[in-house]
Amino acid sequence: MKYSIGIDFGTGSGRVLIIDIKTGSIIGMSVIHFKNEKVKENLANVDVPYTFALQDPTEYIRVLKEGIPEAIKNAKIHKSQIVGLGIDATSASILLTDNQFKPLSEYQILKKEPHSYLKLWKHHGANKEAEKMLEVARNNKSRWLGNYGFNVNSEWMIPKVLELINHAPNIVKKAAHIMEVGDWLTSKLIEENVRSNCSRGFKTFWNEEEGFFYEYYKKVDSQLPKIINEKLEGRLVKIGEKAGHISTKMSTELGLPANLPIAPSIIDAHASLLGIGSTQKNELTMVMGTSTCHLMLHDEQKQIPGISGNVKDAIIPNLFAYEAGQSAVGDLFNHVANRAPKSYLDEAKNRKMHIYELLEEKASLKSPGQTGLIALDWHNGNRSILSDSKLRGVLIGETLNTKIEDIYKAYMEATAFGAKMIINNYEEWGMQIDKVFACGGIPQKNELLMQIYADILNRPIHVSASYYAPAIGAAILGSVAGREHETVVEAVHDMKQPISKTVHPISQNVKNYQKLFEIYKTIHDYYGLQSHDIMQQLDELTHQQN
Amino acid sequence: MKYSIGIDFGTGSGRVLIIDIKTGSIIGMSVIHFKNEKVKENLANVDVPYTFALQDPTEYIRVLKEGIPEAIKNAKIHKSQIVGLGIDATSASILLTDNQFKPLSEYQILKKEPHSYLKLWKHHGANKEAEKMLEVARNNKSRWLGNYGFNVNSEWMIPKVLELINHAPNIVKKAAHIMEVGDWLTSKLIEENVRSNCSRGFKTFWNEEEGFFYEYYKKVDSQLPKIINEKLEGRLVKIGEKAGHISTKMSTELGLPANLPIAPSIIDAHASLLGIGSTQKNELTMVMGTSTCHLMLHDEQKQIPGISGNVKDAIIPNLFAYEAGQSAVGDLFNHVANRAPKSYLDEAKNRKMHIYELLEEKASLKSPGQTGLIALDWHNGNRSILSDSKLRGVLIGETLNTKIEDIYKAYMEATAFGAKMIINNYEEWGMQIDKVFACGGIPQKNELLMQIYADILNRPIHVSASYYAPAIGAAILGSVAGREHETVVEAVHDMKQPISKTVHPISQNVKNYQKLFEIYKTIHDYYGLQSHDIMQQLDELTHQQN
């Protein structure tokens, strides 16, 4: 029996899975939750803007060091049975390292410097930089802008690099590499600076034929080309290839076989497509966790406004992968659940339920529209189709009779309406969608949510049985790197996880939600387009000195 | 020493105060909280629409029977020292009684009938009826409509009567009287059917010279004139007069002197003006409790859109009293505080604070605009200046970083912006406002709120020292009824409560709030006027059968 290791690095934890490469069975696992105390402690008296989302990168190393041995032990296998290792990670989560891949935040003199830490995808400190980049791209009528949804999102990598140049030039100077966290981990394992085409293609202005768009970057900032050339370049490795072999030092440290083949890192949401087996065009997969990614494959390159990008070979060789996203989904449900009143917590405790289950149960008692609420789920900005991280949440229709579960339901509906906007947008720009998959941490757990999505999208939703689709996807790439499978598609065929259920729309609900969607579109366009300055002004006021 | 009794019937409790008629000192008091269990129990299996706000009227009698003896005992006086009694009550809280003033809900066969109970001012079951009445008044170009803010509010008395005619004709048939709760209590005390000019003038289409506008009422509903004539008429008593003397039976039951003079009932908020001593024109008083009333006196009758009405002699003889209102103020703060997460409750408990104090403390740490939020406080509809009970609350600008105290602050600001709309409206229609008073249950307790009001209104706010201004006002009318004072103004002079503090605007806050007010006006007009159909549709969806 042969096994591949898939390691999924999410926003809050890392999961190491041992996967049977013939059946896709999970035979061992270890989940390590990131501790953020160290960053908080180090920066206790430092003025960190609330838009920042920082992490201690050594927590990722802890996932390797503790998680890998534990998962192998757990699987009761011998390490010699392991044939490959793949990594997926959040995208545009970046860090600076020295030439030994040691994070700069590990240097004593930089411990009190926010810019030396890992910046998560949801770090929103680069709004001004993203605006500048968009302005330059527009002024130059850059033909490739449409491949990035005609926008520049502050979450992407280059705005964050520019933020570093503007706010922490001395730290940039000290850095040998500025890296995606996934590339950093791969490079660390093989002790060589490699970069995957997946994140690079989506989160920087780059393509395989032309490389980085240096001419454009020069117009944005005169220092940028040099810094990109020195600190962002590296040997390119593509999805479906092998990045290299694990170093002797690392294999010893982690208890892995010598020379184990390592796959290039893939974006976590993208890995899910492999894990659930969506490798065809005309299928849309919603990867629902902290945030949601809406992924599609296609054989043509189309320019679609409001999506995050399209990249050739990023998931399946020879197909273009398209990504759109919603910035707050699980995070938003969590935000509401954290605010549940004491009586709800008591009830959940007495009935031995999780607070989410209780809220779901209560929310399901009202029919569509009965809460009288409608919301915009822009609590972490809007990634698609407005691509504006300054947008903020809206809740309309609350009365003195409104209960917390009503708000919970309104937000569930809001995320589904947001998904409908994305799907409509894909279709309006010429993509055909025949089938919708849902995977990620949430769809399995929340029945009501899947029903709401089926009703609002008015399509059956095929729910993946696995909570671990990204890690499976990473393991698939591990198996391909180890040459146990010839192609990604063949590995997917053997290792993909089953679909557990298909949720069908209920016609009366569909009718009610069609009415609500009309209202949703009105307020979506009001706050997102016509009166976009309302959110702009609110945002400015929060920053104003008093 | 001589004393007058003032009894203030609020939404949630009744307060009996014994007042020294020479100094206004409170020398005895009793507070009785209404229990609503009986209604809930009786109607446990009955389908009561959520728009209903019902009460058990016998709870008001309990205030008399328990509260009066307790307050007298508490005051350590002899009953012979009591010279008069006045009542104030919420307005357009109506009930049906037999000819002995026994509430119909006390009849065994009507106990399961929602329409037999007292309907509070905030009962919103008469929306359709109010719309019909407005349509007829507009179609007939009724010249008097402007004295009611060019609108008909479903909270007023006649829409509620029409609701009874439409939904409970058999109960209406059984009723000898349909009464304001204040009139009912006065009538019960003197055992004669009397009606005060205060509520009648504000909450029905009526004036002293012409009586009820029967011609108009006939056009609204053919049965309405007869029902009004039979069940709403009664001997008219005006503010500053005596309604009558207490009956022998009631004086014995309540431990009051025989033949005690009883004043006509006054609307609770209106009584406050007497209690704090605002008897001049060009002064605005905000009576802030569950809801807020904005009252003014003037020597002319002006037609002002969006106010609830103007009535001659309703507070001070020979002056017109103007009323505008906000439907959810204390109720809204309560709504948020009830939702405080467990950690907040724990902190408040540990620090021996009320949850309101904790929220206020945390909310005061952010400067104006810093929450990034803006809200519409329409959680119980909008009384002024839009006069539409179907409007609902709005919260814009929430992010994943938003805390409950931020929302609490946004709602405090929203009520202040709402007050600014009302003040601006008064001024635009020719009323001059030289001085702003605040009284009621809230202003004394919440320092931050008063600062927000001063900053947003950009005026000093004169805060009354007394929590009990309405009861003082009622006692003032009791003293006048007892002929211990010749006029209301003289009684006010002796008995009014002091102003405890004046809160001044802070110029930097004023500047920030001016920016926020511009946004507020935009969304106020968007949801209240331009896109008014959004709320309309949300409301319809809540009622839709599934």
Side-chain angles (χ1 to χ4, degrees):
Chain A
M1 305 272 262
K2 292 178 177 178
Y3 305 98
S4 176
I5 297 183
I7 313 183
D8 167 39
F9 291 94
T11 302
S13 62
R15 285 168 285 269
V16 181
L17 269 70
I18 315 283
I19 308 297
D20 183 323
I21 65 163
K22 284 285 161 248
T23 63
S25 302
I26 300 169
I27 61 145
M29 193 189 317
S30 167
V31 180
I32 309 279
H33 290 276
F34 298 147
K35 293 175 191 157
N36 291 312
E37 287 77 9
K38 215 168 100 184
V39 186
K40 277 188 195 154
E41 216 171 88
N42 290 344
L43 297 175
N45 299 313
V46 181
D47 192 22
V48 182
Y50 79 95
T51 48
F52 277 34
L54 306 177
Q55 258 184 346
D56 178 1
T58 60
E59 285 297 298
Y60 289 74
I61 301 299
R62 193 163 67 82
V63 173
L64 301 179
K65 290 195 178 162
E66 297 177 14
I68 291 174
E70 189 182 303
I72 294 174
K73 191 174 152 201
N74 195 290
K76 303 193 177 81
I77 59 167
H78 189 265
K79 68 178 184 184
S80 63
Q81 295 172 279
I82 299 167
V83 296
L85 182 151
I87 281 174
D88 72 87
T90 60
S91 176
S93 295
I94 73 158
L95 74 162
L96 305 97
T97 77
D98 66 13
N99 59 10
Q100 299 300 305
F101 307 110
K102 176 176 167 181
L104 294 194
S105 55
E106 285 301 287
Y107 281 80
Q108 195 57 41
I109 52 160
L110 293 175
K111 286 217 176 303
K112 296 214 158 301
E113 176 47 65
H115 288 288
S116 76
Y117 286 86
L118 186 150
K119 287 178 179 158
L120 273 173
W121 58 274
K122 63 181 175 180
H123 172 91
H124 283 158
N127 282 325
K128 285 218 172 72
E129 286 78 5
E131 278 167 21
K132 173 80 186 294
M133 285 177 64
L134 179 61
E135 196 193 322
V136 174
R138 278 192 181 147
N139 289 346
N140 287 278
K141 300 195 174 38
S142 306
R143 68 193 147 66
W144 41 261
L145 194 61
N147 295 331
Y148 299 87
F150 296 99
N151 220 327
V152 180
N153 193 308
S154 73
E155 291 180 358
W156 296 346
M157 186 169 198
I158 306 297
K160 282 176 175 151
V161 172
L162 214 49
E163 182 197 6
L164 285 165
I165 295 175
N166 290 338
H167 296 280
N170 290 332
I171 300 177
V172 173
K173 211 174 285 172
K174 286 199 179 66
H177 306 297
I178 304 178
M179 305 187 95
E180 285 275 348
V181 68
D183 286 336
W184 169 58
L185 291 162
T186 316
S187 299
K188 185 121 184 122
L189 287 172
I190 66 173
E191 291 187 30
E192 184 199 343
N193 172 23
V194 289
R195 312 283 178 139
S196 156
N197 70 325
C198 182
S199 255
R200 175 142 297 187
F202 276 105
K203 303 301 161 70
T204 68
F205 294 146
W206 171 97
N207 67 37
E208 201 184 337
E209 294 73 34
E210 302 164 89
F212 284 107
F213 302 170
Y214 282 115
E215 279 307 305
Y216 160 72
Y217 283 136
K218 201 166 112 188
K219 285 178 189 141
V220 172
D221 185 294
S222 62
Q223 301 170 68
L224 197 51
K226 188 163 177 283
I227 285 165
I228 289 178
N229 187 50
E230 284 176 5
K231 303 174 202 279
L232 271 73
E233 292 279 16
R235 177 166 60 83
L236 184 76
V237 200
K238 288 174 66 178
I239 297 304
E241 296 178 350
K242 175 171 67 183
H245 295 268
I246 197 165
S247 71
T248 310
K249 176 168 164 279
M250 289 307 286
S251 67
T252 313
E253 261 188 60
L254 305 177
L256 287 172
N259 289 315
L260 181 71
I262 307 290
S265 169
I266 184 170
I267 299 177
D268 53 353
H270 297 228
S272 299
L273 258 68
L274 306 177
I276 68 166
S278 173
T279 58
Q280 316 265 329
K281 70 174 196 171
N282 299 349
E283 294 174 347
L284 178 118
T285 300
M286 302 185 290
V287 188
M288 306 177 72
T290 315
S291 60
T292 293
C293 271
H294 304 258
L295 293 161
M296 290 203 68
L297 298 169
H298 208 277
D299 45 12
E300 289 170 47
Q301 182 165 44
K302 291 171 194 281
Q303 296 203 331
I304 305 181
I307 69 161
S308 311
N310 67 63
V311 177
K312 201 181 170 193
D313 304 335
I315 302 177
I316 300 287
N318 298 319
L319 289 177
F320 288 89
Y322 289 75
E323 180 190 331
Q326 289 174 275
S327 311
V329 179
D331 258 1
L332 180 57
F333 304 154
N334 196 32
H335 178 68
V336 181
N338 278 341
R339 209 178 263 167
K342 187 176 175 301
S343 62
Y344 282 61
L345 298 179
D346 292 345
E347 184 179 345
K349 200 175 163 193
N350 287 340
R351 295 177 56 198
K352 298 188 172 49
M353 296 166 92
H354 197 283
I355 184 68
Y356 290 108
E357 291 172 295
L358 182 71
L359 289 174
E360 188 191 334
E361 180 188 287
K362 288 179 186 283
S364 64
L365 298 177
K366 285 195 181 159
S367 59
Q370 232 189 344
T371 62
L373 296 172
I374 194 143
L376 296 174
D377 59 325
W378 301 348
H379 293 63
N380 198 19
N382 177 300
R383 205 183 297 153
S384 299
I385 55 175
L386 296 165
S387 197
D388 184 347
S389 69
K390 281 188 183 171
L391 291 175
R392 307 169 72 98
V394 173
L395 182 66
I396 295 166
E398 192 170 354
T399 72
L400 296 177
N401 295 305
T402 300
K403 302 274 186 297
I404 187 101
E405 63 268 26
D406 299 332
I407 296 176
Y408 190 67
K409 184 164 195 172
Y411 286 148
M412 290 200 273
E413 292 165 345
T415 66
F417 288 134
K420 192 179 176 92
M421 293 299 286
I422 289 169
I423 286 178
N424 288 356
N425 187 62
Y426 269 131
E427 290 191 328
E428 277 160 25
W429 291 87
M431 308 282 273
Q432 186 183 325
I433 297 174
D434 298 334
K435 202 167 179 185
V436 176
F437 290 98
C439 65
I442 294 180
Q444 275 297 318
K445 284 185 258 182
N446 195 326
E447 264 188 53
L448 174 62
L449 186 73
M450 287 301 98
Q451 189 60 57
I452 288 171
Y453 271 68
D455 293 337
I456 286 178
L457 301 180
N458 195 15
R459 294 167 187 269
I461 309 288
H462 305 277
V463 180
S464 165
S466 178
Y467 289 125
Y468 307 105
I472 305 283
I476 283 169
L477 297 180
S479 179
V480 177
R483 290 286 163 261
E484 293 294 332
H485 286 98
E486 277 298 304
T487 65
V488 176
V489 172
E490 281 169 25
V492 167
H493 178 268
D494 286 351
M495 296 169 75
K496 72 175 179 194
Q497 304 297 298
I499 294 303
S500 66
K501 62 180 168 191
T502 300
V503 182
H504 293 277
I506 296 167
S507 66
Q508 181 60 48
N509 293 356
V510 170
K511 262 172 62 185
N512 282 7
Y513 278 134
Q514 274 164 353
K515 289 180 205 164
L516 270 174
F517 183 61
E518 290 308 309
I519 304 177
Y520 176 87
K521 270 202 298 195
T522 305
I523 60 168
H524 174 281
D525 291 353
Y526 181 74
Y527 290 104
L529 304 169
Q530 291 131 248
S531 294
H532 168 260
D533 53 323
I534 289 178
M535 301 277 185
Q536 187 83 26
Q537 285 167 19
L538 287 176
D539 187 74
E540 276 164 23
L541 279 165
T542 64
H543 298 302
Q544 180 169 287
Q545 294 304 316
N546 222 16
Chain B
M1 306 272 262
K2 291 177 177 176
Y3 305 99
S4 177
I5 296 183
I7 314 181
D8 168 39
F9 291 94
T11 301
S13 63
R15 286 168 284 268
V16 181
L17 269 70
I18 315 281
I19 308 297
D20 183 323
I21 64 163
K22 284 285 159 249
T23 63
S25 303
I26 300 168
I27 61 145
M29 194 191 317
S30 167
V31 180
I32 310 280
H33 291 276
F34 297 147
K35 293 175 192 158
N36 291 313
E37 286 78 7
K38 217 168 98 185
V39 186
K40 278 189 195 153
E41 218 170 88
N42 290 343
L43 297 176
N45 299 314
V46 181
D47 191 21
V48 182
Y50 80 94
T51 49
F52 278 32
L54 306 177
Q55 259 184 346
D56 178 1
T58 61
E59 285 295 297
Y60 289 74
I61 301 298
R62 194 164 66 83
V63 173
L64 300 180
K65 289 195 180 163
E66 296 176 15
I68 291 175
E70 189 182 303
I72 293 173
K73 191 177 152 199
N74 194 289
K76 300 194 180 84
I77 59 166
H78 189 264
K79 71 177 182 181
S80 62
Q81 293 172 283
I82 299 166
V83 296
L85 181 151
I87 280 173
D88 72 86
T90 60
S91 175
S93 295
I94 73 158
L95 74 162
L96 305 97
T97 77
D98 66 12
N99 60 10
Q100 298 300 305
F101 307 111
K102 176 177 167 179
L104 293 194
S105 55
E106 285 301 288
Y107 281 80
Q108 196 55 42
I109 51 160
L110 294 175
K111 285 215 178 303
K112 295 216 159 300
E113 177 46 66
H115 288 289
S116 76
Y117 288 86
L118 185 150
K119 286 176 179 158
L120 273 172
W121 58 274
K122 62 182 175 180
H123 172 89
H124 284 159
N127 281 325
K128 287 221 170 72
E129 286 78 4
E131 279 168 19
K132 173 79 186 293
M133 285 177 64
L134 179 60
E135 197 193 324
V136 174
R138 278 189 180 150
N139 289 347
N140 287 278
K141 301 194 170 44
S142 305
R143 65 191 151 66
W144 41 260
L145 194 62
N147 294 330
Y148 299 87
F150 295 98
N151 219 325
V152 180
N153 193 309
S154 73
E155 292 181 356
W156 296 346
M157 187 169 199
I158 305 297
K160 283 177 176 151
V161 172
L162 214 48
E163 183 197 6
L164 285 166
I165 294 174
N166 290 337
H167 295 281
N170 290 331
I171 300 177
V172 173
K173 211 174 285 174
K174 285 200 180 66
H177 307 297
I178 305 178
M179 305 187 94
E180 286 273 348
V181 67
D183 285 336
W184 170 58
L185 291 162
T186 317
S187 299
K188 184 123 185 120
L189 288 172
I190 67 172
E191 292 186 29
E192 184 199 342
N193 172 23
V194 289
R195 312 283 178 139
S196 156
N197 70 324
C198 182
S199 256
R200 175 142 296 187
F202 276 104
K203 302 302 161 70
T204 68
F205 294 146
W206 171 96
N207 68 36
E208 201 186 338
E209 293 75 32
E210 302 164 87
F212 283 108
F213 302 170
Y214 282 114
E215 277 307 304
Y216 160 72
Y217 281 136
K218 201 165 111 188
K219 285 178 189 140
V220 171
D221 185 292
S222 61
Q223 302 170 67
L224 196 52
K226 186 163 177 281
I227 284 164
I228 290 177
N229 186 48
E230 285 175 6
K231 303 174 202 280
L232 270 75
E233 292 280 13
R235 178 165 60 83
L236 185 78
V237 201
K238 291 173 66 177
I239 298 304
E241 295 178 348
K242 175 171 67 184
H245 295 269
I246 196 166
S247 71
T248 309
K249 177 167 163 276
M250 289 305 288
S251 66
T252 312
E253 261 188 60
L254 304 177
L256 288 172
N259 288 316
L260 181 73
I262 307 292
S265 168
I266 183 169
I267 299 176
D268 54 352
H270 297 227
S272 298
L273 259 70
L274 306 176
I276 67 167
S278 173
T279 57
Q280 316 260 332
K281 70 174 197 171
N282 299 348
E283 293 174 349
L284 179 119
T285 300
M286 302 185 291
V287 187
M288 306 178 71
T290 315
S291 60
T292 294
C293 271
H294 304 257
L295 293 161
M296 291 204 67
L297 298 169
H298 208 276
D299 46 12
E300 288 169 50
Q301 181 166 44
K302 289 171 194 280
Q303 297 203 329
I304 304 180
I307 67 161
S308 311
N310 68 64
V311 177
K312 200 179 170 195
D313 304 335
I315 302 178
I316 299 288
N318 298 320
L319 288 176
F320 287 88
Y322 288 76
E323 181 190 331
Q326 289 173 275
S327 310
V329 179
D331 259 359
L332 180 57
F333 303 154
N334 197 32
H335 178 68
V336 181
N338 279 342
R339 207 178 268 168
K342 185 175 174 304
S343 61
Y344 282 62
L345 298 180
D346 291 345
E347 183 178 346
K349 199 176 162 191
N350 287 339
R351 296 176 57 198
K352 296 187 173 51
M353 295 166 95
H354 196 284
I355 183 69
Y356 289 108
E357 291 172 297
L358 183 71
L359 289 173
E360 188 190 335
E361 180 189 286
K362 287 179 186 286
S364 64
L365 299 177
K366 286 196 179 157
S367 58
Q370 231 187 347
T371 63
L373 296 172
I374 195 143
L376 295 174
D377 59 325
W378 301 348
H379 294 61
N380 197 20
N382 177 299
R383 205 183 297 155
S384 300
I385 55 177
L386 297 166
S387 197
D388 183 349
S389 68
K390 281 189 183 171
L391 292 175
R392 308 169 71 99
V394 173
L395 182 66
I396 295 166
E398 191 169 356
T399 73
L400 296 176
N401 294 306
T402 300
K403 302 274 186 296
I404 185 101
E405 63 267 26
D406 299 332
I407 296 177
Y408 190 66
K409 185 165 194 173
Y411 285 149
M412 291 200 274
E413 292 166 345
T415 66
F417 288 134
K420 191 178 176 93
M421 293 298 287
I422 289 169
I423 286 178
N424 289 356
N425 187 62
Y426 269 132
E427 289 191 329
E428 277 161 24
W429 291 87
M431 309 281 274
Q432 187 183 325
I433 298 175
D434 297 334
K435 201 169 179 183
V436 176
F437 291 98
C439 64
I442 294 180
Q444 276 296 320
K445 284 185 260 185
N446 195 326
E447 263 187 54
L448 174 63
L449 186 73
M450 287 300 98
Q451 188 61 56
I452 288 171
Y453 272 67
D455 293 337
I456 287 178
L457 301 180
N458 196 15
R459 297 167 184 268
I461 310 286
H462 305 278
V463 181
S464 165
S466 178
Y467 289 125
Y468 306 106
I472 306 283
I476 284 169
L477 297 181
S479 179
V480 176
R483 291 285 164 263
E484 293 293 332
H485 285 98
E486 276 297 303
T487 65
V488 176
V489 172
E490 282 169 26
V492 167
H493 178 267
D494 286 353
M495 297 169 74
K496 72 174 179 193
Q497 304 296 300
I499 294 302
S500 66
K501 63 180 169 190
T502 300
V503 181
H504 293 277
I506 297 166
S507 66
Q508 182 59 48
N509 294 355
V510 170
K511 262 174 59 187
N512 282 6
Y513 278 134
Q514 273 163 353
K515 289 181 206 163
L516 271 175
F517 184 61
E518 289 308 309
I519 304 178
Y520 175 87
K521 270 203 298 196
T522 305
I523 59 167
H524 174 282
D525 291 353
Y526 181 73
Y527 291 103
L529 303 169
Q530 292 133 247
S531 295
H532 167 260
D533 53 323
I534 289 178
M535 301 278 186
Q536 187 84 25
Q537 285 165 20
L538 287 176
D539 187 73
E540 275 162 25
L541 279 166
T542 64
H543 298 302
Q544 182 170 287
Q545 294 305 314
N546 222 19

